[in-house]
Amino acid sequence: QVQLVESGGGLVQLGGFLRLSCAASGRSFSDYNMGWFRQPPGKERELVSAIRWSGRSTYYADSVKGRFTLSREPAVTTVILQMNSLKPEDTAVYSCAAAPRSSGTGYYTPATYAYDFWGQGAQVTVSS
């Protein structure tokens, strides 16, 4: 089992930055690819970024490319989503999720069913 806990959300103004972290406990991170999803108010959840279990490959949605950076901390116990140049449309509840390496979908997928474990979510609000 893997428990995921997000932290670092908050309220920022347009152009600001936030650093979200997802701390994992339980099974080794090496068994899972990690993804960050977000769910804006009144909209469906979408994949924002993902990282291979090894930390060597990353994926970013077009909407956040060049602004967000995803990385794994030493010992792969934590994944960090650095969010820069934030826009009001980035406002959402951000959740980290873990998908088994053996899913066969590659190191990233927008399919939420592929992720076995989810954090509770962290609210990010960007004001104009």
Side-chain angles (χ1 to χ4, degrees):
Q1 303 291 321
V2 175
Q3 183 176 1
L4 306 175
V5 180
E6 303 98 336
S7 62
L11 173 65
V12 298
Q13 292 188 325
L14 186 151
F17 59 89
L18 283 173
R19 185 174 184 265
L20 297 181
S21 65
C22 176
S25 62
R27 296 188 64 184
S28 173
F29 251 13
S30 65
D31 292 329
Y32 298 92
N33 301 313
M34 298 296 301
W36 277 99
F37 289 78
R38 69 183 181 187
Q39 186 169 20
K43 298 183 178 180
E44 296 297 316
R45 186 160 47 189
E46 62 179 344
L47 179 66
V48 174
S49 184
I51 190 167
R52 190 187 295 273
W53 64 270
S54 65
R56 299 183 183 274
S57 301
T58 53
Y59 160 85
Y60 301 96
D62 289 342
S63 59
V64 305
K65 284 182 178 178
R67 300 188 298 118
F68 291 10
T69 302
L70 184 63
S71 62
R72 293 189 105 136
E73 292 296 294
V76 295
T77 57
T78 304
V79 291
I80 302 296
L81 184 66
Q82 179 67 47
M83 305 183 295
N84 299 324
S85 302
L86 286 164
K87 306 174 182 179
E89 51 263 43
D90 295 320
T91 296
V93 174
Y94 286 72
S95 301
C96 63
R101 290 170 56 189
S102 59
S103 66
T105 60
Y107 74 90
Y108 71 91
T109 177
T112 58
Y113 65 79
Y115 297 83
D116 289 345
F117 305 100
W118 293 80
Q120 294 298 312
Q123 183 177 346
V124 172
T125 302
V126 184
S127 62
S128 60

